[in-house]
Amino acid sequence: GESVGLHLPTLSVQEGDNSIINCAYSNSASDYFIWYKQESGKGPQFIIDIRSNMDKRQGQRVTVLLNKTVKHLSLQIAATQPGDSAVYFCAVTMNSGYSTLTFGKGTMLLVSP
Amino acid sequence: NAGVTQTPKFQVLKTGQSMTLQCAQDMNHEYMSWYRQDPGMGLRLIHYSVGAGITDQGEVPNGYNVSRSTTEDFPLRLLSAAPSQTSVYFCASSFAGLGQAFFGQGTRLTVV
């Protein structure tokens, strides 16, 4: 099976700082990794994904880094804004996401002005 | 374009009652899935479907049934509700695989 853990349940940052949210997974056969954002009272929203044949992928103000050697991935948010305040989940899957998907417990990002 | 629509938003059930959580999507996605989210936990996959007529079990399928008669709809049935099924339930749809999913707003279910 797969287990997914996060290093910090809560991360507090100042507006304008860069944020880094971490995630660790257990199964070296995992090949597809996704980050979701969940605002209070809403369903999760897809942010960015990365496949195991890549080490880094960038989106708008977000970067995901994957270290397969230590089974670790991170989400970096540049110039964090109050609207980024939410719970962030990593999700991990094998078989490119065509079977099961395992979520971590989430990190709550709090951005203060 | 509504995306993924879940009904109801809130529901209180008595132990032993049955009910169906509805989920509909209008994006013509093949994949649909149901998750439950408990306090301080990530989402856990209950059941998923890779297309009309095809369903499979996820991580926590016991106590839940699903069917997929159309591409658009993927209802989740609780046959005999138990307090352990108190949770927030999310339905999701995706074009290919479970990864880049669009989620509904959730159904908050309380079983007393």
Side-chain angles (χ1 to χ4, degrees), chain A residues 9 36-40 84-89 105-109, chain B residues 37:
Chain A
Y36 285 95
K37 172 185 180 182
Q38 185 177 26
E39 296 174 336
S40 181
D84 295 326
S85 293
V87 179
Y88 290 81
F89 294 96
K105 290 184 171 57
T107 288
M108 177 174 289
L109 178 64
Chain B
Q37 184 175 33

Side-chain angles (χ1 to χ4, degrees), chain A residues 36 38 43 49 89 97-99 104, chain B residues 31 37 42 90 97-101 103:
Chain A
Y36 285 95
Q38 185 177 26
D49 59 359
F89 294 96
Y98 286 95
S99 56
Chain B
Y31 268 73
Q37 184 175 33
F90 289 100
L98 296 168
Q100 293 189 24
F103 282 80

Side-chain angles (χ1 to χ4, degrees), chain B residues 2-112:
Chain B
V4 178
T5 303
Q6 290 183 236
T7 55
K9 288 186 170 53
F10 302 93
Q11 183 70 49
V12 179
L13 286 180
K14 293 183 179 178
T15 298
Q17 286 185 317
S18 63
M19 80 159 295
T20 300
L21 307 185
Q22 301 290 345
C23 177
Q25 54 97 2
D26 61 0
M27 296 173 283
N28 202 32
H29 285 164
E30 289 298 323
Y31 268 73
M32 294 187 75
S33 48
W34 277 101
Y35 296 85
R36 62 177 287 173
Q37 184 175 33
D38 299 301
M41 302 282 289
L43 283 75
R44 290 184 291 170
L45 182 64
I46 304 172
H47 286 284
Y48 66 99
S49 168
V50 303
I54 306 170
T55 64
D56 206 346
Q57 296 181 350
E59 180 185 355
V60 288
N62 292 340
Y64 308 95
N65 276 358
V66 292
S67 60
R68 184 97 178 271
S69 56
T70 67
T71 299
E72 294 78 19
D73 300 299
F74 190 44
L76 178 72
R77 297 183 187 85
L78 282 71
L79 302 176
S80 178
S84 60
Q85 295 178 304
T86 293
S87 189
V88 180
Y89 291 85
F90 289 100
C91 177
S93 75
S94 45
F95 178 68
L98 296 168
Q100 293 189 24
F102 291 81
F103 282 80
Q105 295 281 45
T107 295
R108 184 174 295 274
L109 176 68
T110 302
V111 183
V112 297

Side-chain angles (χ1 to χ4, degrees), chain A residues 7-101:
Chain A
H7 299 290
L8 280 178
T10 305
L11 176 65
S12 296
V13 300
Q14 296 283 328
E15 182 178 0
D17 287 351
N18 295 333
S19 302
I20 299 176
I21 300 171
N22 296 303
C23 184
Y25 61 97
S26 64
N27 195 326
S28 56
S30 297
D31 63 359
Y32 182 43
F33 309 87
I34 309 107
W35 283 98
Y36 285 95
K37 172 185 180 182
Q38 185 177 26
E39 296 174 336
S40 181
K42 297 186 177 181
Q45 177 184 8
F46 170 84
I47 303 173
I48 192 169
D49 59 359
I50 188 167
R51 299 195 181 274
S52 58
N53 60 352
M54 302 174 69
D55 297 324
K56 179 179 179 179
R57 191 166 188 216
Q58 289 183 292
Q60 188 175 10
R61 282 199 308 116
V62 294
T63 300
V64 56
L65 299 177
L66 176 63
N67 185 329
K68 295 180 289 293
T69 302
V70 295
K71 296 194 283 291
H72 179 274
L73 69 156
S74 65
L75 177 71
Q76 301 180 359
I77 304 173
T80 312
Q81 303 168 359
D84 295 326
S85 293
V87 179
Y88 290 81
F89 294 96
C90 67
V92 177
T93 183
M94 295 176 283
N95 197 24
S96 298
Y98 286 95
S99 56
T100 194
L101 188 66

